[in-house]
Amino acid sequence: MGLQAELEELQPVVMNLFKRSKRENRLSHGYLFHGPNGVGKKRLALWLAQSLFCLEQTDEVQVCSHCVNCTRIANDNHPDVHWLKPDGASIKIDQVREIRSELMKQGMESNQKVLIIDEADKMTVQSANSLLKFIEEPDAGTLLLFLTTNPAKILPTIASRLQPVAFRELPFEQLVKKLEQVGISQQKARIFASLTGSIQEAKRLNEDEFFQEARNASVKLYEGLHHDGPEPLIFIQETWMPLF
Ligand SMILES: [Zn+2]
């Protein structure tokens, strides 16, 4: 499945918004993508960047995913598309300064430039302020995309200048299907899907040793209580208590 088809299934409302804005030539200069991990924020930012440079787009398919521009952007190798993400625990002022000077230069191959800031809530106040000046006087051709799981942590002075775009959690059955596609058993997929609305979170739970142990212990206790497993009181004392 191509990126565009995948996103249309994952985030239909957001995709409709952007397809309409593009068609009507009314893209805003700055957006705040917010929603849980693993629901398509980064992939949609990639799609949007590609849609501005794709050489083989049609009215229906704005991103072909295989032309030279789509490929370079996907490989983070396009001179007018920049990604900014935390270096360690935060996005530091030096990182922002470097990107700012890149953005102030004339577009390398067009007048269009894109800056995607992943985990934008990790910007230090200093970094955010340094970018603020840039957001207040947007270069006509620069698209700024702020991505976050925690919009409350974005400085109000920045958030107020961006158009918010909410990404929904994945519906239960859709998430179960996606988890099965990456090799998680149906039984586990249903448990993870009931605990989280995101593929990434579910994968993390799947790899979490403590979570696996806790799950096994819960199953054993359940069986014990139904006289089909270990004696519950002994099990609680010997396994349950030390684990939790
Ligand atoms: Zn393309």
Side-chain angles (χ1 to χ4, degrees), residues 50 53-57 62-71:
Q50 287 175 320
F53 296 97
C54 179
L55 300 169
E56 290 177 31
Q57 63 186 211
Q62 287 82 8
V63 169
C64 78
S65 288
H66 57 70
C67 72
V68 58
N69 280 349
C70 283
T71 309

Side-chain angles (χ1 to χ4, degrees), residues 1 6 25 35 43 83 89 110 114 133 147 165 167 182 244:
M1 194 190 282
E6 190 191 328
N25 220 356
R43 279 170 287 169
W83 290 79
S110 68
V114 183
K133 199 174 153 44
L147 280 46
V165 180
F167 282 61
V182 297
F244 294 103

Side-chain angles (χ1 to χ4, degrees), residues 85-150:
K85 60 177 189 220
D87 175 12
S90 63
I91 297 176
K92 300 181 177 70
I93 182 74
D94 290 343
Q95 292 176 266
V96 176
R97 284 205 186 107
E98 201 178 311
I99 293 274
R100 263 178 52 139
S101 69
E102 284 295 320
L103 290 174
M104 307 255 248
K105 286 179 201 160
Q106 194 64 263
M108 296 291 271
E109 295 178 12
S110 68
N111 287 323
Q112 180 69 61
K113 277 169 284 181
V114 183
L115 172 60
I116 303 161
I117 305 163
D118 191 22
E119 298 185 58
D121 50 280
K122 303 241 168 85
M123 268 190 288
T124 63
V125 173
Q126 211 184 4
S127 302
N129 283 333
S130 158
L131 211 52
L132 184 60
K133 199 174 153 44
F134 189 80
I135 302 169
E136 280 172 333
E137 302 156 19
D139 205 24
T142 302
L143 175 65
L144 295 158
L145 304 175
F146 288 67
L147 280 46
T148 183
T149 53
N150 197 347

Side-chain angles (χ1 to χ4, degrees), residues 7-225:
L7 287 165
E8 277 164 358
E9 190 185 290
L10 209 57
Q11 296 293 340
V13 177
V14 178
M15 280 300 275
N16 279 339
L17 167 85
F18 281 112
K19 284 199 291 192
R20 193 174 59 239
S21 305
K22 278 186 58 64
R23 205 165 45 234
E24 293 169 3
N25 220 356
R26 292 192 319 163
L27 269 188
S28 169
H29 77 272
Y31 292 94
L32 178 60
F33 289 6
H34 63 92
N37 269 326
V39 296
K41 295 188 296 300
K42 261 186 276 191
R43 279 170 287 169
L44 207 128
L46 172 68
W47 176 86
L48 197 53
Q50 287 175 320
S51 77
L52 299 173
F53 296 97
C54 179
L55 300 169
E56 290 177 31
Q57 63 186 211
T58 63
D59 284 345
E60 283 76 44
V61 181
Q62 287 82 8
V63 169
C64 78
S65 288
H66 57 70
C67 72
V68 58
N69 280 349
C70 283
T71 309
R72 286 160 85 200
I73 293 168
N75 294 332
D76 191 13
N77 192 22
H78 190 288
D80 296 324
V81 177
H82 302 276
W83 290 79
L84 189 56
K85 60 177 189 220
D87 175 12
S90 63
I91 297 176
K92 300 181 177 70
I93 182 74
D94 290 343
Q95 292 176 266
V96 176
R97 284 205 186 107
E98 201 178 311
I99 293 274
R100 263 178 52 139
S101 69
E102 284 295 320
L103 290 174
M104 307 255 248
K105 286 179 201 160
Q106 194 64 263
M108 296 291 271
E109 295 178 12
S110 68
N111 287 323
Q112 180 69 61
K113 277 169 284 181
V114 183
L115 172 60
I116 303 161
I117 305 163
D118 191 22
E119 298 185 58
D121 50 280
K122 303 241 168 85
M123 268 190 288
T124 63
V125 173
Q126 211 184 4
S127 302
N129 283 333
S130 158
L131 211 52
L132 184 60
K133 199 174 153 44
F134 189 80
I135 302 169
E136 280 172 333
E137 302 156 19
D139 205 24
T142 302
L143 175 65
L144 295 158
L145 304 175
F146 288 67
L147 280 46
T148 183
T149 53
N150 197 347
K153 279 199 176 162
I154 304 287
L155 281 186
T157 41
I158 294 214
S160 64
R161 288 169 171 82
L162 303 169
Q163 187 175 323
V165 180
F167 282 61
R168 63 164 192 178
E169 288 200 335
L170 300 191
F172 181 79
E173 290 301 336
Q174 197 178 334
L175 184 55
V176 170
K177 203 174 89 187
K178 293 264 171 212
L179 293 174
E180 287 182 308
Q181 280 167 4
V182 297
I184 295 176
S185 74
Q186 194 196 42
Q187 189 203 17
K188 279 189 187 171
R190 297 189 79 81
I191 295 174
F192 298 146
S194 67
L195 292 173
T196 169
S198 106
I199 298 171
Q200 204 166 318
E201 272 299 296
K203 281 190 194 158
R204 195 183 60 72
L205 287 177
N206 190 43
E207 284 154 16
D208 189 325
E209 247 172 75
F210 173 75
F211 185 83
Q212 295 299 338
E213 270 182 62
R215 179 183 166 275
N216 292 339
S218 302
V219 170
K220 281 216 176 76
L221 181 60
Y222 178 86
E223 288 168 353
L225 289 169

